[in-house]
Amino acid sequence: MVLKWQFVTVILVMELSSLTNGLTFSHTNNTRLKRQSQCSEFDFVCDDGNCIDDCFQCDGKYDCPDKSDETTACRLKACPWYAFKCAYGACVDGTVECNGIQDCVDNSDELTIKCPGVVEYLRERGNCSEGERQCRTGECVFEDQLCNGVKDCQDDSDENLARCFNFYCPPYGFKCDYGACVAGEAKCDGKYDCYDDSDETEQLCGKPPPPKATTLKPPPIDVPQPPGSCKAPLFADGRMVDLQSNEVFTGQFVLNYQPLKFSCIRSQLIGSETVYCVDGKFENIPKCSRHCSNVKINTISVEATCQSQNGVRFPCSVNGSSLLPPGTIADLKCKQGYELPEIYVDTRTVCEDDGSWSNRVFKCKQICGVIDVGYSYVSGGEETNITQVPWQAAIYEKANDRFGHICGGSIITATAVVSAAHCFWNRGLSKLKHEKEFQVVVGKTIRDYYGKDPYTTQTFNVTFIDVFEQYNDYNGLYTVDVAILELSSSIVYTPYIKPVCIVPSFEGAERYVDSDVKGRVAGWGLTENEKPSDILKVVDLDTVSFHKCKRRSPLEFKNFITHDKFCAGNLLNYTVCAGDSGGGFMITQEKKVGEKIQKVHYLQGIVSVGANSKKVCTPGHFIAFTNIQYVLQLIYKYLGTKENKKGA
């Protein structure tokens, strides 16, 4: 109860402070401060001319007297995988999240959905109807109006860090510093789209921010309110003028029985243009219509076609803009590789006058593990085609300005690929390499990054590499050898580019992989000629018992057969070798897909470590695979579900 009370108190403090001056929770640590004459090239120079050690910049505590060391410029810094990233970009200890103590100057370490009271706060709708949320000042706004970069609550409580920090923003959107999501093209387009103007900062765009259009308001009138008069209402999206066409501002006095004329700046007026002050009140104040964002109707899994009320079709992006006029009808359907959810959903939605869509846009389910083109697998280490392993991803590392193949991976969502952690580990420095060194290509049959493939490929930068905190590569015996690669944009599914299914979660002894389970592995690893394969190959392997694997493996390999592994191999014929690491061990099950019974492929394991050397590949050794059952916690973060239990 104490933690929840502390959280709510912080929420109220944050909502009462302005967004631009919201980073005011900590005190300056003057013991870290140096006089200007003591500054070196390795120091951070504060805006006021003082300096601090560079390591104290963006550490969650104010060290500069002017607080310039903890600003939104911290977003440009990368945090190590074990750290917690504050909303404004600073890096603090990863263990401080939700510990009841403020460690980020904006308190965002106590605002994640893991923290007590946060989920309840975000779900609370007060006295508002279903699909609405109550502002702190009492009025109701639609959920679609939350965290969209536009102030809809009079007190800004729909556009602040407490409300928006946990707000989901798709990869093609732009996430404002306080968490709101606007169209991706809003970044550095010369117009302010984020309520805190963070889409146009000089640190982000490399140029001075555009000027803000301001209208000088008259000084406040220090006189009593005349009897029967009204205060001009809030009318944020337009202008109010009096009979003489003089602009009237919110809070100004309007004499009894005098009119105000309302007009909208960029949209249509809804209601009467002229409203009179009658006995201290304005009745039926008009509103300005609002355009709807097309970001919400074009998602990773859903695409829309748009038409006007009279049936004229037009692109859902009008003249490159992400905004659509009121009255736009959007017909929704699932993109290729997805299907409608099992529950009923309305596939048509209309842009309302208030800028919201009449129906919430549904999420389509991705279709996984199904092969629907090409020919059957060729087993026994023979060449195959990407149509037979459409989830196969090729991973490349840049060296000497050229990309070379290092590992394989498996597509699990449109923005995530699973591989082996050791593919991205710098053993000399005992840490992960930088994600900018890697690219992921899907749809590849030819190993060479620059080679011409029979099908169109898709190439992605890696924006984040996620591994378990306890992973320690060779020194840790390759335990939990799994990595998730976040991609820079979304994969477009095609008949030969698809995700694989993930095996259901089991408990206890059921996690164990039985002997003689047949699986298939694809890759471009070393061949019997001791050279990487130029063409994608597949091999059929049978699993063996944990004890048999240990008993028949070389002494130096036994220690790497840890509790989270299972073994597979063929001691007489083909095997998996260097270059195949990170690839998936796929098993098949028959399952009803649509109206058909089809073979569905599931990811059971990830190629981890074998007894072969990096230069020679000879049959006669078992391969240790990371058992998916022991790493589902990491994978579920990217599937967005924890309901993949047995029988589901």
Side-chain angles (χ1 to χ4, degrees):
M1 290 299 292
V2 174
L3 281 178
K4 184 171 182 180
W5 180 85
Q6 288 175 336
F7 168 74
V8 174
T9 302
V10 171
I11 293 294
L12 294 176
V13 171
M14 291 179 64
E15 291 186 341
L16 286 170
S17 63
S18 70
L19 289 171
T20 55
N21 297 317
L23 308 183
T24 57
F25 291 88
S26 295
H27 299 286
T28 300
N29 184 352
N30 290 319
T31 61
R32 298 178 174 185
L33 193 66
K34 300 179 182 178
R35 291 189 296 272
Q36 191 168 0
S37 60
Q38 297 176 320
C39 294
S40 75
E41 60 180 312
F42 302 107
D43 290 334
F44 171 79
V45 181
C46 310
D47 287 348
D48 63 4
N50 289 288
C51 60
I52 59 174
D53 285 340
D54 186 62
C55 63
F56 296 141
Q57 182 196 11
C58 303
D59 66 346
K61 297 180 178 64
Y62 287 125
D63 297 292
C64 291
D66 61 359
K67 302 179 180 179
S68 57
D69 58 315
E70 303 292 326
T71 68
T72 55
C74 296
R75 285 185 69 176
L76 302 177
K77 285 203 167 189
C79 291
W81 60 269
Y82 51 81
F84 175 85
K85 192 176 183 71
C86 305
Y88 67 97
C91 308
V92 297
D93 191 331
T95 64
V96 305
E97 183 180 5
C98 305
N99 66 353
I101 302 171
Q102 176 194 319
D103 294 277
C104 298
V105 297
D106 61 357
N107 203 53
S108 54
D109 56 304
E110 301 300 316
L111 295 179
T112 74
I113 57 175
K114 299 177 184 178
C115 301
V118 174
V119 173
E120 291 82 357
Y121 167 75
L122 296 177
R123 289 177 176 171
E124 177 61 40
R125 68 170 188 260
N127 297 319
C128 298
S129 303
E130 184 72 30
E132 295 180 328
R133 288 291 182 270
Q134 190 169 29
C135 305
R136 190 175 55 80
T137 46
E139 71 268 31
C140 298
V141 296
F142 290 103
E143 290 180 349
D144 288 344
Q145 294 174 278
L146 300 175
C147 306
N148 64 353
V150 179
K151 183 186 80 168
D152 294 289
C153 293
Q154 294 185 32
D155 61 350
D156 311 336
S157 56
D158 60 317
E159 300 292 327
N160 64 16
L161 185 66
R163 169 64 64 186
C164 303
F165 179 59
N166 296 287
F167 194 77
Y168 172 72
C169 192
Y172 46 83
F174 175 81
K175 194 172 183 70
C176 306
D177 280 354
Y178 66 97
C181 187
V182 297
E185 57 264 30
K187 175 182 173 183
C188 304
D189 66 349
K191 298 180 293 183
Y192 291 107
D193 294 272
C194 293
Y195 184 62
D196 63 351
D197 302 338
S198 56
D199 56 313
E200 300 294 332
T201 64
E202 186 168 0
Q203 296 97 330
L204 177 71
C205 304
K207 59 183 179 181
K212 296 194 71 172
T214 57
T215 304
L216 294 177
K217 297 184 179 182
I221 303 173
D222 189 18
V223 295
Q225 182 171 349
S229 66
C230 305
K231 284 189 175 182
L234 178 70
F235 193 63
D237 296 328
R239 297 177 71 243
M240 299 177 287
V241 297
D242 59 18
L243 283 174
Q244 288 75 40
S245 298
N246 297 314
E247 187 166 4
V248 176
F249 300 94
T250 299
Q252 279 186 242
F253 296 141
V254 178
L255 296 179
N256 203 12
Y257 304 116
Q258 292 299 306
L260 280 182
K261 285 193 173 183
F262 294 81
S263 62
C264 297
I265 298 174
R266 292 181 297 271
S267 57
Q268 295 179 342
L269 188 72
I270 303 171
S272 175
E273 178 188 23
T274 305
V275 179
Y276 284 84
C277 168
V278 179
D279 298 331
K281 289 183 180 180
F282 283 108
E283 299 286 350
N284 302 319
I285 297 171
K287 296 180 179 180
C288 292
S289 66
R290 295 192 172 188
H291 284 58
C292 296
S293 171
N294 68 1
V295 172
K296 295 181 179 180
I297 58 171
N298 287 284
T299 68
I300 289 178
S301 63
V302 175
E303 60 185 359
T305 55
C306 294
Q307 60 177 304
S308 63
Q309 294 282 4
N310 57 7
V312 177
R313 294 190 175 275
F314 57 88
C316 292
S317 176
V318 182
N319 296 324
S321 171
S322 63
L323 299 178
L324 296 167
T328 298
I329 299 170
D331 292 309
L332 311 173
K333 68 176 184 178
C334 296
K335 291 181 179 178
Q336 183 169 351
Y338 297 89
E339 60 184 359
L340 288 170
E342 295 175 359
I343 60 172
Y344 171 78
V345 292
D346 198 328
T347 58
R348 171 167 284 193
T349 185
V350 180
C351 178
E352 304 282 17
D353 289 334
D354 61 3
S356 65
W357 291 99
S358 60
N359 292 310
R360 183 179 296 277
V361 178
F362 51 86
K363 292 182 180 179
C364 296
K365 298 191 305 179
Q366 68 174 14
I367 302 170
C368 63
V370 177
I371 298 172
D372 58 6
V373 296
Y375 45 84
S376 300
Y377 261 115
V378 180
S379 63
E382 296 297 329
E383 294 179 357
T384 187
N385 185 290
I386 192 60
T387 62
Q388 298 310 296
V389 277
W391 37 82
Q392 182 75 15
I395 300 170
Y396 298 86
E397 184 176 10
K398 193 172 187 179
N400 300 321
D401 292 326
R402 288 185 65 84
F403 282 101
H405 180 267
I406 57 163
C407 283
S410 302
I411 301 169
I412 57 172
T413 73
T415 56
V417 166
V418 61
S419 185
H422 74 259
C423 296
F424 314 99
W425 193 260
N426 186 323
R427 191 176 295 178
L429 298 177
S430 226
K431 66 176 186 178
L432 284 172
K433 297 177 182 178
H434 199 284
E435 59 268 15
K436 290 184 179 179
E437 298 177 28
F438 303 96
Q439 282 194 345
V440 174
V441 185
V442 296
K444 284 286 284 181
T445 297
I446 308 300
R447 179 180 57 85
D448 185 2
Y449 179 87
Y450 305 96
K452 184 173 176 58
D453 275 85
Y455 295 90
T456 301
T457 60
Q458 298 175 36
T459 303
F460 304 90
N461 292 323
V462 178
T463 59
F464 184 63
I465 304 172
D466 203 355
V467 300
F468 279 96
E469 183 176 354
Q470 64 266 38
Y471 180 76
N472 196 22
D473 205 60
Y474 180 88
N475 293 332
L477 304 178
Y478 298 108
T479 306
V480 291
D481 188 10
V482 61
I484 305 292
L485 308 184
E486 283 190 27
L487 307 182
S488 55
S489 56
S490 301
I491 297 171
V492 177
Y493 291 148
T494 70
Y496 58 91
I497 299 176
K498 295 183 176 187
V500 70
C501 297
I502 303 297
V503 292
S505 171
F506 293 99
E507 302 294 337
E510 289 187 305
R511 289 179 166 187
Y512 180 78
V513 178
D514 292 331
S515 301
D516 300 320
V517 174
K518 295 186 181 300
R520 283 173 174 145
V521 181
W524 294 269
L526 292 180
T527 66
E528 60 275 13
N529 298 323
E530 301 176 11
K531 293 182 179 180
S533 174
D534 292 328
I535 305 294
L536 182 63
K537 288 190 173 185
V538 293
V539 61
D540 288 341
L541 300 174
D542 293 337
T543 60
V544 297
S545 73
F546 191 83
H547 299 294
K548 181 179 179 180
C549 182
K550 280 216 166 191
R551 188 172 65 250
R552 295 200 178 182
S553 294
L555 181 63
E556 65 273 13
F557 178 58
K558 293 180 187 290
N559 288 337
F560 297 100
I561 308 172
T562 51
H563 72 283
D564 65 324
K565 301 290 191 292
F566 69 86
C567 292
N570 187 325
L571 296 183
L572 299 177
N573 296 313
Y574 296 94
T575 186
V576 174
C577 291
D580 293 319
S581 289
F585 183 92
M586 308 296 173
I587 61 173
T588 59
Q589 293 180 7
E590 288 193 343
K591 182 180 177 182
K592 188 174 183 180
V593 180
E595 299 300 320
K596 299 179 182 179
I597 300 295
Q598 290 184 271
K599 282 187 176 181
V600 178
H601 296 74
Y602 292 85
L603 180 65
Q604 178 67 68
I606 300 168
V607 178
S608 178
V609 60
N612 280 305
S613 75
K614 291 185 177 181
K615 297 181 180 179
V616 179
C617 185
T618 56
H621 297 294
F622 292 127
I623 303 299
F625 295 81
T626 299
N627 187 343
I628 289 297
Q629 293 293 326
Y630 290 90
V631 295
L632 284 175
Q633 178 184 357
L634 186 66
I635 292 174
Y636 280 160
K637 285 172 58 177
Y638 296 87
L639 293 180
T641 178
K642 293 187 178 179
E643 304 301 321
N644 197 25
K645 299 293 184 182
K646 181 181 179 182

